Amino acid sequence: MSGGFVHESLPMRVVLGAGGLARIADEVAHLGMRRVLVLATPEQRGLAERVAGLLGERAAGVFDQARMHVPVAVVDAAAAVVADLGADGCVAVGGGSTIGLGKALALRHALPILAVPTTYAGSEMTPIWGLTEDGRKQTGRDRAVLPRSVLYDPELTLTLPPAVSGPSGLNAIAHAVEALYAPDGSPLIAAMAEQGVRDLAAALPRVVAAPDDVEARTQALQGAWLCGSCLGATTMGLHHKLCHVLGGMLDLPHAETHAIVLPHVARYNLAVAPEADAVLRRALGTSDVPAALAELGARVGVPDGLAALGVDRTDLARVADEVLAAPYRNPRPPTRAEVEALLEAAWRSR
Ligand code: NAD
């Protein structure tokens, strides 16, 4: 087959709007769940209790031990609470870490999830799960982990600090950029990517300038939804591979690493992906997409290079070794010298 595509839509209900949290009990009822466990991180316990209050007798309890990278011990502890309370589903309120815990419960214990995202990470729109045991993170794709419904309420993102919001938004843009040159793209993915990038690029500077601007937060969350949908439907390339290795090997923060590396991989890959470049030029209103991405990052507080995250330059060769060790799809298969040059450029200050 040439010039066509295969597209599979993921079955999910999405509700987005300021104040939408007030509908949570109806959304849980819509899924036929009677007693749900509300999941959160310790930092978001207060929000989880508010959600439980709104759910009334449909809430079985709150589990507030969600953590980065979904440790198996945390999943086991949450599963024990589910069993004790006789819960028939979960409401995951938070960022990628909390939604990741919900996904692990869905994978191992077949529990349905309703996700209430409070960052721009996009995990709620993907069938990708991750689990960490004995320091090793395993990931996979399984439709069983997809939330049944996603409730986006921009008011819940007003507390996301500007220093977290900016990199989190650029991380979302990276999903759309890579989806545009993915081997499994389609015209629908391209349309979602274009609008997602347009929304985030317009909203992020406003969000960072005025974190309580509900209109800007709404546009940013809509962009995150669209970019997350791109991530869930396509195969990511060199950018995600580089960031996965950097994060795992050097224990770097997820969103910041993606945000720093993005303009460099964009410059490398868009040189051979003119259709993706054209979409991004329209979305960003520019003739130089990598420069516009770097400029947006600088405006919204993305740290100035991997060196600013504390990366030692001598570690870059080890990262390049691991990136080149396992095959992955990319529009341009990079040589060792090219991977090293990309890492060096990302390490340096803007
Ligand atoms: P996170 O979920 O780890 O949250 C970081 C911190 O911010 C937590 O303490 C959290 O409680 C707090 N927080 C979240 N929302 C807040 C808000 N609105 N106000 C105040 N504080 C808030 O961070 P993240 O960036 O959302 O997620 C990162 C993790 O998600 C990574 O481990 C990444 O691998 C994973 N992820 C997975 C997928 C996937 O498809 N499986 C996609 C994207 C990210």
Side-chain angles (χ1 to χ4, degrees):
M1 188 164 93
S2 75
F5 60 87
V6 174
H7 177 82
E8 267 187 74
S9 288
L10 297 174
M12 234 182 303
R13 173 180 167 92
V14 174
V15 175
L16 189 154
L21 190 65
R23 297 170 56 121
I24 186 87
D26 289 346
E27 289 301 318
V28 164
H30 183 82
L31 295 178
M33 302 194 290
R34 293 199 181 84
R35 275 174 67 75
V36 295
L37 183 63
V38 182
L39 308 175
T41 58
E43 297 80 19
Q44 289 183 292
R45 165 126 206 148
L47 176 59
E49 279 173 354
R50 193 175 137 211
V51 169
L54 287 166
L55 286 171
E57 56 188 30
R58 284 190 193 272
V62 169
F63 179 86
D64 71 358
Q65 293 300 310
R67 274 205 281 135
M68 277 278 268
H69 306 309
V70 196
V72 166
V74 172
V75 181
D76 290 343
V81 175
V82 165
D84 272 359
L85 298 176
D88 61 359
C90 291
V91 172
V93 188
S97 298
T98 304
I99 292 166
L101 172 60
K103 287 173 151 181
L105 288 168
L107 184 72
R108 295 183 139 200
H109 303 281
L111 276 181
I113 320 164
L114 190 160
V116 183
T118 62
T119 70
Y120 306 134
S123 175
E124 65 281 357
M125 298 312 294
T126 85
I128 305 163
W129 55 266
L131 269 174
T132 303
E133 190 163 25
D134 300 330
R136 289 222 328 274
K137 186 164 180 176
Q138 205 193 339
T139 60
R141 274 182 183 255
D142 193 321
R143 280 201 171 205
V145 308
L146 272 180
R148 304 279 173 91
S149 290
V150 181
L151 175 60
Y152 288 107
D153 183 344
E155 287 180 0
L156 305 182
T157 64
L158 301 183
T159 48
L160 195 65
V164 181
S165 302
S168 187
L170 262 294
N171 174 34
I173 289 178
H175 308 331
V177 170
E178 292 236 294
L180 282 166
Y181 49 64
D184 35 14
S186 74
L188 183 58
I189 297 295
M192 290 197 295
E194 180 171 347
Q195 189 58 39
V197 172
R198 184 177 288 123
D199 282 335
L200 281 161
L204 290 178
R206 293 174 62 203
V207 159
V208 167
D212 58 353
D213 180 338
V214 175
E215 202 183 293
R217 288 290 193 178
T218 302
Q219 191 178 22
L221 206 50
Q222 175 175 298
W225 161 56
L226 290 166
C227 292
S229 303
C230 292
L231 173 68
T234 59
T235 308
M236 297 286 105
L238 178 62
H239 173 78
H240 282 71
K241 177 75 186 179
L242 273 176
C243 294
H244 183 81
V245 174
L246 278 164
M249 194 179 269
L250 307 177
D251 195 23
L252 301 180
H254 180 84
E256 284 81 352
T257 305
H258 279 258
I260 290 168
V261 172
L262 177 62
H264 303 286
V265 176
R267 187 163 301 287
Y268 179 74
N269 274 343
L270 294 176
V272 298
E275 288 180 17
D277 192 42
V279 171
L280 291 165
R281 283 177 185 221
R282 278 201 305 274
L284 293 166
T286 180
S287 57
D288 186 341
V289 171
L293 291 171
E295 197 182 309
L296 178 62
R299 274 179 82 188
V300 303
V302 170
D304 194 5
L306 294 173
L309 296 185
V311 174
D312 194 312
R313 191 163 169 232
T314 55
D315 283 330
L316 299 180
R318 279 198 299 137
V319 173
D321 288 341
E322 194 168 322
V323 167
L324 291 160
Y328 56 91
R329 296 288 292 265
N330 194 60
R332 209 177 155 185
T335 63
R336 181 176 182 97
E338 287 170 338
V339 170
E340 284 181 347
L342 270 170
L343 286 168
E344 174 75 26
W347 181 81
R348 282 179 188 287
S349 147
R350 280 187 283 263

